Amino acid sequence: MSSRAQQGLPIAEAVPRLVDFVQLGPNAGAHRVSIRLAVSALIPVLALAAAGRLEWSPYALLASTVAVYGRRRPPRTRLRVQAEVAAAQVLVIVAGVALAAARPAPWLLVVCTAFVAAAAAALADIRRWNPPGALFFLFGFAVCASMPGTDPADVAVALAVSTASVVTVLAVSVLDAPLKHPSDTDTPVPGPLPGRLIAAQAVACLAAGLAAGLAAAALGIDRPYWAMVSAIIPIIGSTTSAQLSRAGHRFVGTLAGIVPAALLFQIHMSQLVLLLLVVALMGCTEAFVTRNYAGALLFLTPMTIAMALTTPGVPLSTLLVDRCLETAMGLVAAVIAIMATHRIRHPRTADAAG
């Protein structure tokens, strides 16, 4: 194969076709992962409701995302991966709460979040966690670091609640293990990535996250981490074409997801009902995310809006506009970072032969 052929970027393949937005991939046990996630999130929410401490539920929900890791792995392997991820997720949640207690300036919050994303992306690549990337770690840190009214005493609360939540995740995985399913395969784990690729992914996450987050903060948007999430999501793709295609799905899916969110949240809901809705939407998102990413955003977008609405005082219209604006800002940063690192991820044959 010529160096030109290997270096070339098939842009036409990177642009999603209309059918891509509605076509579903194979199920491959996605329903099992979504059920494990929903159960793992529901138990601590109900426990906190019974204790009259629903304000602590974000710590539990963010920790429960550990349940999505280790999909398509045998139960023992899945449990090991989830235990590793659980330790990292609890750490970023507690660090986020500690930062929130210090009342950081918006720009400092963005900088800290970007470095957390870069470090998490590198760690996920090194440990070969599945799904890859820094999404859940960025979200866990940023949401906790942005919570108003946090004080130093909340650090211990966050540690206790998030730890209890990840223990619930591991217990659900253990209980699910005897229920054999074809998706519990010993799928070959990809070999270790070259150091230059791990570094390129981490630097791309750092640069794109910083650019999107600082731009959103400069505009006075309350949740600049929404822009940062959109900036790092496409970067986890294995090829430039896949990354750009994922960015297209992110944009179209978010715009489509705004519609059900706008209609659904015209209904007044109590905090408990909102949290139960978040749990249901988390499960639905996970059921679709590996089958059709744009389709998953029909549930993910309302879910993030619902989580924001659990904090009173934020108008729905503002949340909807901010979500669209920050998604666009984040994707612009992502595309620039993807194109800037294309040659690193796809070196010329001549260079490789060096």
Side-chain angles (χ1 to χ4, degrees), residues 256-350:
I258 286 294
V259 177
L263 296 175
L264 180 62
F265 297 120
Q266 298 298 325
I267 305 170
H268 175 72
M269 302 180 192
S270 67
Q271 187 179 28
L272 176 58
V273 172
L274 271 175
L275 290 169
L276 294 176
L277 181 61
V278 167
V279 171
L281 291 171
M282 286 173 70
C284 292
T285 299
E286 190 56 34
F288 278 86
V289 72
T290 59
R291 308 186 67 192
N292 185 292
Y293 186 60
L297 284 156
L298 291 173
F299 305 100
L300 179 62
T301 302
M303 184 198 79
T304 56
I305 299 295
M307 287 191 70
L309 287 172
T310 59
T311 302
V314 183
L316 175 61
S317 58
T318 299
L319 292 173
L320 297 175
V321 172
D322 285 355
R323 180 72 182 182
C324 293
L325 180 60
E326 292 192 69
T327 296
M329 295 168 64
L331 291 177
V332 168
V335 170
I336 293 172
I338 290 166
M339 299 307 296
T341 56
H342 172 66
R343 286 181 180 273
I344 299 175
R345 287 176 286 103
H346 302 286
R348 294 179 186 274
T349 304

Side-chain angles (χ1 to χ4, degrees), residues 70 72-79 184-187:
R72 304 223 64 190
R73 294 288 183 266
R76 285 181 178 272
T77 305
R78 181 168 65 240
L79 192 64
D184 294 332
T185 60
D186 196 6
T187 306

Side-chain angles (χ1 to χ4, degrees), residues 109-184:
L109 193 156
V110 168
V111 170
C112 291
T113 301
F115 275 97
V116 167
L123 182 60
D125 282 341
I126 292 169
R127 297 301 302 161
R128 286 172 282 172
W129 289 337
N130 180 35
L135 168 63
F136 297 108
F137 306 105
L138 184 158
F139 202 62
F141 179 83
V143 169
C144 291
S146 304
M147 291 176 64
T150 302
D151 59 53
D154 291 321
V155 174
V157 172
L159 175 61
V161 174
S162 60
T163 299
S165 183
V166 296
V167 168
T168 302
V169 171
L170 299 178
V172 169
S173 284
V174 169
L175 293 174
D176 178 64
L179 304 176
K180 300 298 183 182
H181 189 271
S183 64
D184 294 332

Side-chain angles (χ1 to χ4, degrees), residues 40-63 157-158 160-162 164-165 168 271-272 275-276:
S40 298
L42 179 62
I43 292 173
V45 167
L46 293 178
L48 290 172
R53 289 293 186 176
L54 284 177
E55 69 273 17
W56 295 346
S57 58
Y59 309 139
L61 290 174
L62 293 167
V157 172
V161 174
S162 60
S165 183
T168 302
Q271 187 179 28
L272 176 58
L275 290 169
L276 294 176

